[in-house]
Amino acid sequence: MDSYPAIEDHGLIGDLQTAALVTCDGTVDWFCAPRFDSPSIFAALLDKEKGGYFQIAPHDVRYVTKQLYLPGTPILITRFISADGVAEVMDFMPVTGERVTDAHRLVRLITMVRGSMRFRVECRPRFNYARDEHQLERHHSGYVFRSRSATLTFNPVDPVRRLISEQGDIHLEGGDLVAYGTLNEGDTGGVVLETGGTEPRIFPPEEIQGMFEWTQDYWRRWLERSRYTGRWREMVERSAITLKLMTYAPTGAMIAAPTAALPELVGGTRNWDYRYTWVRDTSFSVHALLGLGFTEEVSRYMNWLDERIREAGDHQDPLKIMYRVDGSSDLHEEVLDHLEGYRGSRPVRIGNGAADQLQLDIHGEALYAMHLADEQGIRVSHQVWKSTVRLVDWLCHNWDQPDAGIWESRHHPRNYTFGRVMSWVALDRAIRLATRTGRPGDMACWTEQRNRIYDQVMARGYNRDRGTFVQAYDEAVLDAALLAMPAVGFVTPSDPLWQSTLQAIERELVSDSLVHRYDPVHSPDGLPGHEGTFNMCTFWYVEALARAGRLDDARLTFEKMFTFSNHLGLYAEEIAATGEQIGNYPQAFSHLSLINSALTLNDLLDSEADARRRR
């Protein structure tokens, strides 16, 4: 690779246990296996020289590229257009299912649409984050890249001669494979990469066609379950597919993003590993998935969350903020000093040291999800309810203490207003659940503490000198997380206290409709440097505007956000001042908050239209 592609110049493919990123020039520059959080096989995204990649692209030809998804699927098509011809590379990963496996396939097919073109195929894996040496073994029917930690099998698609000729056009370069082949109009070729230690073989065209049709049908059948018929259907459905791609099928857990160490500021140090399941993120996804009608996905996630609640409740501990997809919680953070980072953005971190922080708000998100699921008939067992009671009892005695907050500050703990608001949500939803289902709980204590939190937030979380709710008690800093207050029912959108807060956030944190989390200059978070605007916060702003009755402003802001998605409708975590996407990519919170905003705004616009018709 000669340079780093823009973060947004990637498409995502996956098989519901792991995923890969493919650039606009046909390069797989990020792929971990056998799980999302496994060591990388290709990681040129984090070091173009050392990380490893797999490219299929025209050789010695001037071309432009276009990329799109096959409608209703995550099957990616990269088109190469030149004066000599037009070719398409199709990338997909057949869905592996709910059984844990080390065997994963990445299928790459080339079709020459018109003219002719010579292609270069480069496969340069770098196992275990480019820390393990490997050997390349040549077999009669293909190749095997073998390291001490993993193997990767390179399987040609028949007819082999069309892409990889045996007449001197294959070069083995120090454990890497470089091949050349010419395709003429109507020709096809391809490669299937497999993990899991299989023997190489030549794949017949009919088997490849079967994998393609099965993958296409799986995704289209899945998407047909969506009951969303409102405005912005294309963006909503692409976001739903993206969330599904980031869900680990064996457990139902959703990762925050499939990447690690992509910077929140190019050249900066805010480079985190997001390949884990945050209780906060996935709990908020419950509203989005239920709104679209994906109750099976919600049920699977709630089973995973129930186990985490049982673990915490049975030990009378708080929930951890994040876990691995299998529910384990060892997320030791380390720095990969041998990698230069995306465009020189060091350090490159894997693991996540924030995993052991106390963040009180996650209990609110967890009970919020449990309450929503219960309303749709997805109810917890007796044993899980007993553990939930113990967890809520723990919160009753521990909510009034400093914590690290929703933004995972690595500075000193503080009394964050949002943490208190979500603690109120946890107690409020626990009370509603117990009342609706007739299950036992210390209702007197829960009600007393819920009311105490409410009174405290109104007394200390609202800064009367500024006339706004603030990030933390006894401070004057604003926080975009407060935009969620009306959505969770803590304040009504018409409350003057909230209206003044919304106006202050617009003045200080909103820039051309994009929203910053907070001002790190006035609210030190223990890290150097600045960051971009947060897509999640912008979508929260859309919801807040809509609930406040400012539907025209909400719709304009929402549709402006579409201009910041990439060519495939994908969003990273943030938008830089230059308008490019930064941070880990694609980010689940960006896409689930897009769906929630679309659901809320669409319903309110429909209600307004109905009201106009009745007048």
Side-chain angles (χ1 to χ4, degrees):
M1 292 179 63
D2 297 326
S3 61
Y4 288 97
I7 290 173
E8 66 233 49
D9 286 347
H10 290 83
L12 177 72
I13 60 174
D15 65 6
L16 304 185
Q17 292 191 23
T18 187
L21 293 185
V22 185
T23 70
C24 289
D25 70 349
T27 302
V28 178
D29 62 359
W30 182 255
F31 175 54
C32 301
R35 293 193 328 199
F36 295 110
D37 58 354
S38 297
S40 64
I41 294 175
F42 301 122
L45 188 61
L46 298 181
D47 193 309
K48 61 184 175 63
E49 300 294 337
K50 301 176 184 175
Y53 61 90
F54 178 27
Q55 184 180 43
I56 299 177
H59 181 63
D60 285 342
V61 176
R62 292 174 60 90
Y63 60 86
V64 297
T65 66
K66 304 291 181 181
Q67 228 175 23
L68 72 156
Y69 280 120
L70 195 66
T73 79
I75 297 172
L76 186 66
I77 300 171
T78 304
R79 308 188 74 223
F80 297 99
I81 304 168
S82 75
D84 297 323
V86 175
E88 294 181 347
V89 174
M90 179 182 294
D91 289 304
F92 67 93
M93 296 180 69
V95 174
T96 52
E98 297 179 1
R99 184 174 180 179
V100 175
T101 179
D102 291 340
H104 300 272
R105 289 175 174 173
L106 198 165
V107 182
R108 312 203 70 192
L109 302 177
I110 310 175
T111 300
M112 198 68 212
V113 178
R114 68 167 174 83
S116 65
M117 209 175 286
R118 187 164 174 79
F119 282 87
R120 183 181 68 258
V121 178
E122 292 186 64
C123 191
R124 303 180 184 273
R126 298 293 183 267
F127 296 94
N128 190 20
Y129 305 109
R131 293 183 293 194
D132 290 356
E133 298 292 330
H134 73 271
Q135 293 78 42
L136 175 57
E137 302 171 359
R138 185 168 189 161
H139 294 245
H140 175 72
S141 299
Y143 302 84
V144 176
F145 300 89
R146 194 181 305 278
S147 75
R148 64 182 179 85
S149 60
T151 60
L152 184 69
T153 305
F154 184 100
N155 306 284
V157 175
D158 202 31
V160 176
R161 65 184 182 279
R162 288 184 179 169
L163 181 62
I164 303 173
S165 170
E166 293 292 338
Q167 283 85 45
D169 283 343
I170 295 180
H171 308 276
L172 310 185
E173 302 178 354
D176 298 334
L177 186 151
V178 180
Y180 300 88
T182 299
L183 296 183
N184 298 312
E185 186 170 325
D187 285 348
T188 62
V191 173
V192 178
L193 291 187
E194 283 189 285
T195 64
T198 59
E199 287 295 312
R201 64 187 179 93
I202 297 173
F203 276 76
E206 56 270 18
E207 184 175 356
I208 296 295
Q209 183 66 23
M211 286 193 288
F212 165 74
E213 291 177 357
W214 191 91
T215 302
Q216 175 183 252
D217 291 347
Y218 172 90
W219 285 100
R220 288 182 173 170
R221 286 196 307 270
W222 179 81
L223 195 59
E224 285 174 358
R225 290 166 43 203
S226 172
R227 63 186 181 211
Y228 183 81
T229 57
R231 305 164 181 85
W232 317 296
R233 183 171 177 177
E234 184 176 352
M235 291 297 289
V236 167
E237 290 185 345
R238 181 52 54 191
S239 289
I241 290 172
T242 304
L243 293 181
K244 179 71 170 175
L245 277 173
M246 289 189 276
T247 301
Y248 185 66
T251 64
M254 182 186 296
I255 58 170
T259 57
L262 290 181
E264 296 177 17
L265 175 70
V266 174
T269 63
R270 298 168 183 257
N271 316 320
W272 314 111
D273 190 346
Y274 274 18
R275 296 172 298 158
Y276 310 112
T277 298
W278 268 252
V279 170
R280 176 186 305 110
D281 301 35
T282 316
S283 294
F284 273 131
S285 75
V286 168
H287 182 267
L289 294 171
L290 287 176
L292 299 181
F294 293 116
T295 55
E296 181 180 335
E297 282 68 24
V298 171
S299 181
R300 295 273 297 155
Y301 167 65
M302 292 307 301
N303 288 336
W304 181 91
L305 179 61
D306 290 347
E307 287 300 311
R308 309 292 79 77
I309 290 174
R310 285 187 62 180
E311 293 165 1
D314 292 351
H315 292 89
Q316 296 184 326
D317 289 330
L319 280 170
K320 290 185 176 294
I321 68 169
M322 71 180 90
Y323 301 84
R324 292 186 183 273
V325 289
D326 61 3
S328 60
S329 56
D330 177 17
L331 278 76
H332 172 70
E333 184 173 298
E334 61 179 305
V335 173
L336 303 180
D337 288 322
H338 64 291
L339 299 181
E340 73 169 9
Y342 177 79
R343 295 185 181 177
S345 303
R346 281 192 168 105
V348 174
R349 295 185 180 93
I350 57 172
N352 201 305
D356 294 324
Q357 289 183 348
L358 175 65
Q359 296 178 21
L360 291 168
D361 70 280
I362 64 169
H363 303 94
E365 283 103 16
L367 268 295
Y368 177 81
M370 186 182 290
H371 177 260
L372 288 175
D374 185 84
E375 288 183 321
Q376 299 298 316
I378 304 170
R379 297 193 166 93
V380 299
S381 67
H382 166 69
Q383 188 60 48
V384 172
W385 178 251
K386 286 175 62 178
S387 299
T388 303
V389 168
R390 284 191 284 269
L391 184 65
V392 176
D393 288 344
W394 179 92
L395 186 63
C396 275
H397 295 94
N398 290 277
W399 64 263
D400 195 11
Q401 61 176 305
D403 72 332
I406 181 176
W407 307 127
E408 300 177 358
S409 171
R410 300 203 175 190
H411 204 41
H412 61 83
R414 298 154 73 193
N415 294 308
Y416 286 99
T417 302
F418 183 77
R420 297 301 198 275
V421 168
M422 294 309 294
S423 295
W424 176 91
V425 170
L427 293 166
D428 181 73
R429 296 322 191 263
I431 292 166
R432 295 190 198 190
L433 276 166
T435 301
R436 182 166 64 233
T437 62
R439 287 179 167 175
D442 192 348
M443 303 288 279
C445 178
W446 297 357
T447 302
E448 178 188 2
Q449 295 303 314
R450 180 194 64 179
N451 295 344
R452 280 190 60 200
I453 297 172
Y454 182 88
D455 290 339
Q456 187 189 86
V457 170
M458 289 303 183
R460 299 183 62 190
Y462 186 82
N463 186 307
R464 302 196 181 283
D465 293 333
R466 293 208 58 184
T468 67
F469 289 101
V470 289
Q471 183 179 65
Y473 292 173
D474 307 318
E475 299 181 14
V477 176
L478 290 172
D479 189 335
L482 301 173
L483 289 166
M485 290 174 70
V488 298
F490 189 87
V491 295
T492 61
S494 60
D495 192 312
L497 303 182
W498 169 247
Q499 288 285 334
S500 62
T501 301
L502 178 58
Q503 292 164 12
I505 288 174
E506 288 182 294
R507 290 193 303 269
E508 299 183 26
L509 297 182
V510 178
S511 174
D512 186 29
S513 80
L514 301 174
V515 182
H516 291 272
R517 297 188 299 175
Y518 53 86
D519 182 353
V521 173
H522 295 101
S523 179
D525 55 14
L527 297 165
H530 296 277
E531 60 189 18
T533 56
F534 262 60
N535 295 330
M536 171 187 68
C537 294
T538 303
F539 288 122
W540 280 359
Y541 176 50
V542 170
E543 272 204 79
L545 289 171
R547 293 177 187 276
R550 295 168 55 184
L551 295 180
D552 288 342
D553 292 340
R555 183 167 188 172
L556 178 60
T557 301
F558 190 50
E559 296 192 356
K560 275 187 177 181
M561 272 300 288
F562 293 167
T563 69
F564 291 101
S565 75
N566 80 338
H567 56 289
L568 299 168
L570 303 181
Y571 290 91
E573 184 177 22
E574 302 179 29
I575 304 296
T578 58
E580 66 181 329
Q581 299 204 37
I582 51 176
N584 283 303
Y585 169 93
Q587 221 245 5
F589 228 146
S590 298
H591 286 277
L592 69 90
S593 56
L594 181 155
I595 294 171
N596 285 334
S597 296
L599 291 169
T600 298
L601 183 54
N602 193 76
D603 287 347
L604 291 173
L605 286 170
D606 283 348
S607 296
E608 182 186 58
D610 289 343
R612 283 199 304 267
R613 284 193 291 269
R614 289 194 296 269
R615 288 197 291 266

